[in-house]
């Protein structure tokens, strides 16, 4: 192609800016307001049938405010309409399931403030374990009870099932011995699944046999330490059985797809369902042994609702009395706990039976110290301090059920009954665990007096103080008693010799101390913890408790100047010797600082302490550290850096950044944050010190610039470095540091060849060319105002950048290089203007330096012609079938660039634009709509002053027609 000379169009930026402003239109606010409700016109169409004619429509409209979400509320949403048109049988089944769920929910009157049994289950299983061998009886099955046996008479069917139960009790089972705890748990889970399978295959008697067999296991205390966990596992099976029986009877209440009401009464239940329900109770009543008969009947207690309104209230006292026949106090208390559990689920309002269970338990409590229990403990080699905690889960649950929404008079009565038992420590601990925290807190001194009088032989006093401390963390005692409470508790805690016992109590009382006392008392407590946990490195076995102490302290001390003035706080942190734990603690401290520190700080105590903490986090980074962890650590350290401010002491601020750079050099996001902070510091310095101490200010700014220039090369990310070089160069330019700005820009130019073809973005490899294009466009915008160096010739930075772009290896099918050249053309056009679009204060750009000098403009035009030649050469290489669409797009883009920046009064440039127009449409690849809008824009521009030559151009730009 021939070489086309370039002539830039002279621009009047001010006039163009004014012409581009939106036209102001007067607005009557009486007719419109942005917050006024939208009025929607709703049209209603009604079909009208006429004899001998096709149907026509008549419509009426009314204006009203229509809420777009109102259809959801009136039930006309698509899902409701779909459900309404569904099959009635399927709908009945669906409604049945939801009804059953609501029925279960409605009977559960206890609120969310009642801690459910499910939340205690995991803790019990984890706490009560054993290494001894266990045994279990497995049901071997019976052929008599299989489904499909033809039994004509109902009486014979009942007799056969009773025989099957007798067969079970007479020995159709197998005992498995020497099971580990895990084997035992697996066998119980197998029994639970066997129960479900038997029920699903209509082998109801087999299912009942499994439940009876499992219930019998609860009479076995041969491995007594495991009994609480065994109770949890067996009652899971009982719960499954009770649920299956209830849902079976409930399903029999459906007559002609009718549904029981939410709160049904026995009158709503048909005779078949009632007969089946009675049959289940009769079967259970025939069980010979007390413990399985009690547990199985308790599991289906809810089924009494089908028989009588008073069935549950009559059964609960009877079952309570049945427990009196259980001789072993441990087995007895867990049976009472299960009865209280099902009672709270089906009739929580029947408090009398709950209270009766408690009082019966108190009467039999002395059995624990009887000969029978003591002989059993000797036989199993279990000490009393290990035996008594086995009662805690059951007793805690009974007390929780009784104390739920109970009046204070009842709770006071229970306290008095406990006192009559010589302040038994086990009972007292359960009372403090179950009663409301407010009740315990207001009587703290009474409880301390009771704790002092307790016999410590079976249940240590420090556990009682721990339970008291847990309550005081939730509720406040009387203000006058607070110091005395702390002193009394700490007298006992500090005398503990066992480090584990000590830290378990101290962890609880630290929160009470932080909540009600000053840093002096907190410091004393921390010092005592250090004293107890340092010998023999006892802290290594108590990291969770020590972490909890730190979290409680920082949760109450949000003023870090106060926190770090606590003398023993940092020595306390030194106990975290394990790196992973130490880092987690440091992260917790920094999260609280970032969340609660409202004002920037320069307090040396805070800065030194947090620098040490941040250094600890930073030094934990290694080659195996995950990227997410690095990002989290960098976020916390950056949060700290942002909150450090020395006000107008800029030199001290820079010194802090220098120290931070040396400490956090392995986390790139932190270095990036430091560079941005130093750049802001340089701009703030210039702004504040404007006109004062100019030499000192200039020297400081140069120091900031040098900091950035030294730090940027240590970064890994290529585009991070490029953007920081550009940003730092802009800051240097804004502060009249011209040579330093040139150094930044040269560094950026020299870095461009190192840009790889692919870069990692959020863990995925992406082509880099689009990111490079974005950076270079920003760079060109800055180069417009950068003055030429007097020793390096005209536009030396632009020339160097063009050489780098020319030598860069671009993708074969990429057009990014040409898009960059187009942007260069825009830059050179802007550089040829008499006055530039924007300037930097106190920096003379080339428009001031050259003042429209002809030699400068000639050099500028030569560069333009070189760039144009590269663009046209590339367009020529795209004259292939597979590249025609790209050629059309780039041709139109270049046409628009000439239209915007070129002087089309030049005949050759005018002809070039016509050629590009034809090229864009030559192969039918151009978007007709875009071409039409472009032509309309040219015609509109031609009406402006000094734009008349565009009229002739528009006549030479035909639109291609498609047939």
């Amino acid at each position: 192609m021939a070489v086309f000379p370039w002539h830039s169009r002279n621009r009047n930026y001010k006039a163009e800016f004014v012409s581009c402003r939106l036209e102001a239109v007067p607005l009557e606010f009486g007719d419109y307001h942005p917050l006024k409700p939208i009025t929607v016109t709703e049209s209603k169409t009604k079909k009208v049938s006429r004899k001998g004619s096709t149907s026509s429509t008549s419509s009426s409209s009314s204006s009203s405010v229509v809420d777009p979400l109102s259809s959801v509320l009136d039930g006309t949403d698509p899902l409701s309409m779909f459900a309404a048109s569904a099959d009635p049988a399927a709908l009945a089944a669906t409604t049945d399931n939801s009804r059953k769920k609501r029925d279960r929910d409605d009977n559960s009157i206890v609120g969310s403030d009642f801690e459910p049994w499910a939340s205690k289950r995991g803790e019990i299983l984890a706490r009560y374990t054993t290494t001894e061998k266990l045994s279990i009886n497995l049901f071997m099955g019976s052929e008599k009870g299989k489904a499909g046996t033809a039994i004509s008479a109902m009486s014979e069917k009942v007799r056969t099932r009773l025989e099957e139960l007798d067969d079970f009790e007479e020995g159709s089972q197998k005992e498995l011995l020497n099971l580990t705890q895990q084997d035992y748990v697996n066998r119980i889970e197998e029994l639970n699944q066997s129960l479900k399978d038997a029920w699903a295959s209509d082998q109801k008697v087999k299912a009942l046999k499994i439940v009876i067999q499992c219930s019998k296991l609860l009479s076995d205390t041969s491995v007594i330490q495991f009994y609480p966990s065994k109770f949890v596992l067996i009652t899971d099976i009982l719960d499954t059985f009770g649920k299956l029986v209830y849902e079976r009877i409930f399903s029999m209440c459906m007559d002609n797809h009718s549904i029981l009401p939410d709160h049904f009464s026995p009158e709503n239940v048909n005779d078949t369902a009632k007969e089946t329900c009675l049959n289940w109770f009769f079967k259970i009543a025939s069980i010979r042994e007390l413990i399985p008969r009690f547990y199985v009947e308790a599991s289906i207690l809810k089924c009494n609702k089908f028989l009588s309104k008073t069935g549950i209230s009559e059964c609960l006292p009877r079952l309570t009395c049945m427990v009196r026949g259980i001789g072993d106090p441990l087995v007895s208390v867990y049976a009472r706990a299960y009865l209280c559990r099902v009672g709270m689920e089906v009739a929580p309002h029947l408090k009398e039976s709950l209270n009766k269970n408690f009082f019966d338990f108190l009467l039999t409590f002395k059995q624990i110290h009887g000969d029978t229990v003591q002989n059993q403990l000797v036989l199993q080699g279990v000490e009393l301090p290990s035996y008594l905690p086995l009662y805690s889960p059951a007793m805690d649950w009974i007390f929780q059920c009784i104390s739920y929404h109970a009046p204070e008079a009842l709770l006071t009565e229970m306290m008095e009954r406990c006192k009559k038992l010589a302040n038994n420590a086990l009972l007292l601990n359960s009372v403090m665990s179950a009663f409301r925290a407010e009740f315990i807190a207001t009587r703290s001194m009474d409880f301390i007096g009771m704790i002092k009088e307790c016999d410590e032989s079976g249940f240590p006093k420090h556990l009682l103080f721990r339970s008291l401390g847990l309550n005081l963390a939730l509720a406040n005692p009387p203000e006058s008693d607070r110091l005395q409470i702390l002193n009394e508790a700490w007298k006992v805690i500090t005398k503990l010799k066992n480090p584990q016992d000590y830290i378990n109590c101290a962890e609880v009382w630290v929160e009470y101390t932080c909540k009600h006392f000053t840093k002096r008392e907190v410091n004393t407590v921390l010092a005592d913890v250090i004293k107890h946990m340092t010998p023999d490195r006892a802290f290594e076995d108590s990291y969770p408790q020590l972490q909890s102490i730190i979290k409680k302290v920082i949760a109450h001390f949000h003023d870090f100047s106060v926190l770090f003035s606590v003398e023993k706080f940092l020595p306390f942190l030194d106990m975290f010797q394990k790196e992973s734990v130490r880092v987690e603690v440091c992260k917790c401290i920094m999260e609280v600082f970032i969340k609660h520190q409202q004002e920037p700080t320069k307090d040396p105590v805070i800065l030194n302490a947090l620098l040490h903490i941040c250094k600890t986090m930073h030094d934990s980074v290694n080659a195996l550290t995950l990227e997410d962890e690095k990002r989290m650590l960098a976020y916390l350290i950056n949060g700290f850096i942002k909150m450090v401010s020395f006000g107008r002491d800029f030199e001290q601020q820079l010194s802090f950044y220098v120290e931070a750079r040396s400490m956090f050099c392995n986390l790139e996001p932190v270095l990036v944050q430091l560079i941005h902070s130093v750049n802001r510091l340089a701009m703030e310095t210039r702004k504040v010190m404007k006109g004062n101490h100019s030499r000192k200010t200039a020297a400081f700014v140069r120091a900031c610039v040098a900091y950035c220039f030294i730090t940027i090369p240590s970064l890994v990310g290529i585009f991070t470095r490029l953007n920081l070089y550009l940003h730092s160069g802009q800051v240097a330019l804004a502060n009249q540091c011209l040579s330093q700005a040139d150094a930044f820009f040269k560094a950026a130019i020299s870095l461009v060849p190192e840009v790889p073809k692919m870069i990692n973005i959020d863990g995925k490899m992406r082509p880099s060319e689009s990111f490079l294009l974005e950076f270079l466009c920003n760079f060109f915008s800055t180069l417009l105002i950068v003055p030429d160096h007097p020793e390096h010739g005209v536009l030396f930075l632009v020339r160097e950048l063009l050489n780098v772009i020319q030598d860069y290896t671009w993708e074969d099918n990429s057009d990014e290089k040409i898009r960059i050249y187009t942007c260069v053309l825009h830059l050179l056009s802007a550089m040829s203007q008499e006055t530039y679009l924007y300037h930097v204060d106190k920096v003379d750009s080339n428009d001031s330096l050259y003042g429209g000098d002809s030699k400068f403009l000639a050099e500028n035009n030569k560069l333009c012609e070189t760039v144009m030649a590269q663009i046209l050469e590339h367009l020529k290489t795209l004259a292939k079938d597979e590249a025609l669409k790209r050629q059309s797009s780039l041709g139109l883009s270049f046409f628009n660039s000439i239209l915007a920046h070129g002087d089309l009064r030049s005949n050759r440039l005018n002809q070039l634009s016509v050629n590009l127009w034809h090229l864009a449409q030559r192969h039918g690849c151009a978007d007709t709509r875009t071409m039409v809008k472009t032509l309309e824009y040219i015609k509109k521009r031609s009406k402006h002053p000094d734009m008349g030559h565009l009229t002739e151009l528009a006549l030479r730009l035909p639109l291609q027609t498609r047939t």
Side-chain angles (χ1 to χ4, degrees):
M1 291 186 180
V3 176
F4 291 86
W6 174 264
H7 297 278
S8 297
R9 178 169 68 90
N10 292 327
R11 309 283 293 272
N12 185 337
Y13 291 118
K14 290 184 178 179
E16 289 183 27
F17 179 75
V18 172
S19 66
C20 291
R21 283 182 176 173
L22 295 176
E23 183 181 356
V25 177
L27 184 66
E28 293 290 339
F29 281 99
D31 299 331
Y32 169 79
H33 190 275
L35 299 181
K36 185 177 180 180
I38 299 174
T39 301
V40 180
T41 301
E42 185 179 23
S43 297
K44 297 179 181 179
T45 304
K46 178 181 178 183
K47 289 189 176 181
V48 182
S49 298
R50 296 179 181 174
K51 186 176 180 180
S53 65
T54 58
S55 62
S56 61
T57 61
S58 63
S59 64
S60 63
S61 63
S62 62
S63 296
S64 61
V65 178
V66 179
D67 182 0
L69 299 180
S70 60
S71 60
V72 177
L73 302 178
D74 64 15
T76 60
D77 61 286
L79 294 179
S80 298
M81 295 172 67
F82 174 77
S85 61
D87 178 59
L91 177 61
T94 304
T95 308
D96 177 47
N97 291 333
S98 61
R99 185 75 72 183
K100 284 192 289 186
K101 181 179 183 302
R102 280 202 304 272
D103 187 48
R104 288 193 291 270
D105 293 342
D106 290 339
N107 279 287
S108 181
I109 304 173
V110 293
S112 59
D113 55 337
F114 184 82
E115 185 180 4
W117 174 259
S119 65
K120 300 176 180 293
R121 181 181 181 280
E123 180 184 351
I124 295 173
L125 291 174
R127 180 179 176 186
Y128 298 96
T129 59
T130 183
T131 56
E132 295 187 29
K133 298 300 181 181
L134 303 161
S135 63
I136 189 172
N137 291 324
L138 279 181
F139 170 59
M140 302 304 296
S142 172
E143 295 298 322
K144 300 176 186 177
K146 287 189 177 179
T149 304
I151 301 176
S152 56
M154 180 61 69
S155 60
E156 177 149 355
K157 184 176 181 181
V158 173
R159 185 170 61 253
T160 301
R161 292 187 173 179
L162 292 175
E163 289 174 356
E164 291 171 0
L165 292 176
D166 291 338
D167 177 57
F168 166 72
E169 296 193 356
E170 288 168 3
S172 58
Q173 48 192 317
K174 176 183 178 182
E175 186 174 18
L176 297 180
L177 304 174
N178 297 323
L179 298 176
T180 65
Q181 178 180 320
Q182 188 57 49
D183 291 337
Y184 189 92
V185 172
N186 293 339
R187 297 294 182 183
I188 295 295
E189 291 177 352
E190 289 175 11
L191 285 173
N192 200 353
Q193 187 59 45
S194 298
L195 167 65
K196 296 177 183 177
D197 294 341
W199 193 273
S201 59
D202 203 30
Q203 299 183 64
K204 304 296 191 296
V205 172
K206 180 179 179 181
L208 179 59
K209 289 179 180 181
I210 294 173
V211 176
I212 295 172
Q213 169 189 318
C214 293
S215 301
K216 280 189 173 184
L217 297 175
L218 291 175
S219 62
D220 177 21
T221 58
S222 57
V223 183
I224 204 163
Q225 301 98 320
F226 186 64
Y227 191 85
S229 292
K230 182 198 291 188
F231 172 80
V232 170
L233 296 170
I234 299 301
T235 52
D236 284 348
I237 296 178
L238 289 165
D239 293 342
T240 300
F241 177 72
K243 179 181 178 182
L244 291 172
V245 173
Y246 181 85
E247 291 183 351
R248 164 66 176 159
I249 299 172
F250 190 94
S251 65
M252 299 176 69
C253 297
M254 310 293 293
D255 289 330
N256 299 323
H257 303 296
S258 63
I259 301 174
L260 282 180
D262 291 344
H263 301 284
F264 68 87
S265 63
E267 290 78 15
N268 303 121
V269 180
N270 58 43
D271 292 340
T272 303
K274 286 183 178 180
E275 184 178 352
T276 303
C277 186
L278 280 171
N279 188 30
W280 276 110
F281 281 109
F282 291 154
K283 288 177 186 176
I284 293 168
S286 68
I287 300 174
R288 297 173 185 174
E289 296 186 26
L290 172 61
I291 289 179
R293 185 168 73 251
F294 165 79
Y295 273 106
V296 178
E297 182 175 355
S299 70
I300 66 166
L301 181 65
K302 189 177 180 180
C303 294
N304 280 282
K305 292 174 59 179
F306 298 109
L307 301 176
S308 168
K309 291 182 178 179
T310 59
I312 293 176
S313 61
E314 292 170 355
C315 282
L316 278 173
R318 178 172 56 80
L319 291 172
T320 301
C321 292
M322 283 177 66
V323 181
R324 296 175 181 173
I326 302 176
D328 190 310
L330 184 65
V331 178
S332 170
V333 74
Y334 276 95
R336 296 188 187 281
Y338 185 69
L339 185 58
C340 290
R341 180 152 75 85
V342 295
M344 286 295 289
E345 290 174 359
V346 301
H349 58 285
L350 298 177
K351 293 284 188 179
E352 187 176 345
S353 63
L354 298 174
N355 299 340
K356 186 64 175 173
N357 270 290
F358 169 69
F359 295 138
D360 280 1
F361 168 70
L362 291 183
L363 292 173
T364 60
F365 190 74
K366 58 186 178 181
Q367 291 178 322
I368 293 176
H369 301 282
D371 293 340
T372 304
V373 173
Q374 295 301 318
N375 292 337
Q376 184 185 21
L377 296 182
V378 171
L379 186 63
Q380 296 195 34
V382 177
E383 299 290 336
L384 190 63
S386 300
Y387 174 68
L388 288 180
L390 299 177
Y391 286 80
S392 293
M395 291 174 59
D396 290 350
W397 180 258
I398 294 172
F399 277 110
Q400 179 182 328
C401 294
I402 295 169
S403 62
Y404 182 66
H405 289 179
E408 290 210 3
L410 176 62
L411 303 183
T412 304
E413 180 187 352
M414 291 182 180
M415 278 185 63
E416 294 301 322
R417 295 217 180 193
C418 290
K419 286 181 180 180
K420 292 178 181 178
L421 289 174
N423 288 333
N424 183 279
L426 180 62
L427 280 175
L428 191 57
N429 187 68
S430 293
V431 167
M432 290 190 290
S433 298
F435 284 12
R436 294 194 304 272
E438 294 80 7
F439 178 86
I440 304 296
T442 55
R443 296 164 176 78
S444 297
M445 293 306 301
D446 293 338
F447 277 98
I448 288 177
M450 294 169 67
I451 292 172
K452 286 181 177 180
E453 296 174 8
C454 281
D455 180 12
E456 201 170 9
S457 60
F459 201 92
K461 286 184 180 180
H462 69 83
L463 295 181
L464 298 176
F465 275 106
R466 185 179 190 277
S467 297
L468 179 61
L470 289 171
N471 283 280
L472 296 180
L474 300 173
N476 299 328
E479 189 171 355
S480 58
D481 295 339
R482 290 175 184 174
L483 182 58
Q484 187 178 356
I485 291 171
L486 179 61
N487 289 333
E488 293 289 347
W490 210 260
K491 283 178 188 177
V492 175
I493 296 172
T494 195
K495 291 178 182 178
L496 294 174
K497 302 299 182 183
N498 185 300
Q500 202 61 39
D501 292 341
Y502 171 84
I503 196 62
N504 285 335
C505 285
E507 172 202 356
V508 172
W509 281 89
V510 162
E511 184 165 6
Y512 174 79
T513 310
C514 294
K515 194 174 180 181
H516 299 295
F517 299 97
T518 65
K519 68 175 185 179
R520 175 175 170 272
E521 289 78 10
V522 173
N523 189 64
T524 302
V525 170
L526 294 181
D528 196 60
V529 174
I530 294 171
K531 176 183 175 182
H532 280 77
M533 301 307 294
T534 301
D536 301 324
R537 299 178 68 86
F539 53 77
E540 291 182 343
D541 299 321
S542 305
Y543 282 139
Q545 293 91 335
L546 295 174
Q547 281 182 270
S548 176
I549 290 174
I550 285 291
K551 289 179 181 179
K552 289 171 181 177
V553 171
I554 62 179
H556 288 87
F557 286 85
H558 296 160
D559 187 342
F560 275 71
S561 61
V562 175
L563 177 65
F564 290 127
S565 65
V566 176
E567 182 183 352
K568 295 298 181 181
F569 183 77
L570 291 179
F572 191 95
L573 293 181
D574 292 338
M575 287 195 294
F576 295 98
Q577 297 290 312
K578 189 177 179 181
E579 185 182 62
S580 60
V581 179
R582 185 168 68 250
V583 171
E584 286 301 316
V585 171
C586 292
K587 286 163 65 175
C588 290
I589 295 172
M590 293 309 303
E591 285 171 358
V592 173
F593 175 80
I594 292 172
K595 181 178 180 180
H596 295 286
Q597 185 70 22
Q598 301 296 326
E599 298 294 332
T601 182
K602 62 178 180 178
D603 189 322
V605 175
I606 295 178
L607 297 188
N608 290 332
L610 292 185
L611 277 172
H612 172 72
I613 290 170
C614 290
K615 177 66 173 172
T616 300
M617 295 192 300
H618 169 271
D619 291 348
S620 69
V621 175
N622 54 46
L624 300 179
T625 306
L626 298 176
E627 289 301 319
D628 285 346
E629 178 69 7
K630 289 181 181 178
R631 275 193 289 270
M632 172 56 72
L633 295 177
Y635 164 76
L636 295 174
I637 296 174
N638 284 341
F640 162 60
I641 291 172
K642 292 175 184 177
M643 294 305 298
V644 176
S645 174
F646 290 89
R648 293 198 175 188
D649 190 347
F650 299 124
E651 293 183 358
Q652 186 65 33
Q653 187 82 34
L654 183 59
S655 297
F656 169 78
Y657 291 145
V658 171
E659 182 181 5
R661 180 179 61 186
S662 66
M663 296 177 72
F664 310 127
C665 56
N666 290 332
L667 288 173
E668 184 161 311
V670 178
L671 294 179
V672 172
Q673 175 62 44
L674 287 170
I675 293 170
H676 284 305
S677 298
V678 171
N679 279 327
R680 280 195 297 271
L681 180 64
M683 296 302 295
E684 184 68 19
T685 304
R686 199 72 179 181
K687 179 181 177 182
V688 172
M689 304 300 291
K690 191 173 183 180
N692 298 321
H693 311 290
S694 57
R695 288 187 179 180
K696 185 176 180 181
T697 303
F700 179 78
V701 170
R702 285 194 294 272
C704 293
V705 170
Y707 178 102
C708 298
F709 194 77
I710 294 170
T711 309
I712 293 174
S714 64
L715 304 178
V716 176
I718 186 75
F719 281 101
T720 302
R721 280 183 282 162
L722 283 171
N723 286 311
L724 285 174
Y725 274 133
L726 176 58
H727 181 224
S728 300
Q730 292 168 343
V731 171
L733 192 64
N735 285 278
Q736 297 95 52
C737 298
L738 302 184
S739 59
Q740 287 84 353
D742 283 349
F744 279 113
F745 298 142
K746 287 180 181 179
I749 293 171
S750 65
L751 194 59
V752 171
E754 299 179 22
V755 175
K757 297 292 180 293
M758 306 291 288
I759 57 173
N760 190 315
I761 304 293
D762 296 332
K764 296 181 180 180
M765 299 306 293
R766 306 286 188 190
S768 63
E769 289 189 354
S770 60
F771 296 95
L772 182 57
L773 172 63
E774 180 183 1
F775 165 75
L776 291 174
C777 289
N778 291 334
F779 198 2
F780 295 150
S781 299
T782 302
L783 289 179
L784 173 63
I785 53 175
V786 178
D788 284 342
H789 194 283
E791 298 178 1
H792 293 152
V794 177
L795 303 177
F796 76 102
L797 287 176
V798 178
R799 292 177 186 276
E800 286 189 19
L801 186 55
L802 283 173
N803 292 334
V804 168
I805 295 170
Q806 178 65 29
D807 295 338
Y808 186 80
T809 305
W810 301 88
E811 293 290 340
D812 293 338
N813 295 322
S814 171
D815 298 322
E816 300 298 341
K817 179 179 180 181
I818 302 308
R819 292 191 174 92
I820 292 172
Y821 277 145
T822 305
C823 293
V824 172
L825 200 60
H826 302 166
L827 168 64
L828 294 172
S829 176
M831 283 183 164
S832 67
Q833 301 302 314
E834 185 176 344
T835 303
Y836 289 172
L837 178 60
Y838 46 85
H839 295 85
V840 173
D841 186 33
K842 296 184 179 179
V843 174
D844 292 330
S845 299
N846 286 339
D847 57 342
S848 300
L849 293 179
Y850 294 109
D853 181 73
S854 58
K855 292 182 179 180
F856 171 76
L857 295 178
E859 289 293 328
N860 184 291
N861 289 337
K862 283 182 182 180
L863 280 178
C864 289
E865 291 166 9
T866 303
V867 171
M868 286 176 63
Q870 293 286 339
I871 296 173
L872 294 174
E873 185 64 28
H874 183 77
L875 286 173
K876 186 177 179 181
T877 63
L878 297 178
K880 303 173 185 177
D881 291 343
E882 66 275 8
L884 293 177
K885 191 169 184 178
R886 289 165 55 202
Q887 185 189 56
S888 173
S889 176
L890 286 175
L892 182 60
S893 175
F894 190 27
F895 171 85
N896 288 327
S897 294
I898 294 175
L899 181 65
H901 300 280
D903 186 357
L904 290 174
R905 288 175 293 189
S906 168
N907 293 334
R908 300 192 66 181
L909 200 58
N910 192 295
Q911 182 59 47
L912 174 60
S913 64
V914 173
N915 293 346
L916 290 170
W917 180 268
H918 287 287
L919 179 65
Q921 299 184 96
R922 181 174 299 169
H923 300 287
C925 298
D927 180 37
T928 304
R929 185 177 179 184
T930 303
M931 304 299 287
V932 169
K933 287 190 172 182
T934 304
L935 188 57
E936 289 176 354
Y937 170 75
I938 294 172
K939 292 178 180 178
K940 185 177 180 180
R941 285 277 307 279
S942 66
K943 298 177 181 179
H944 291 188
D946 301 327
M947 291 292 175
H949 57 282
L950 295 181
T951 303
E952 182 184 352
L953 176 65
L955 296 175
R956 300 174 62 192
L957 303 178
L959 287 174
Q960 185 181 48
T961 57
R962 295 182 182 180
T963 56

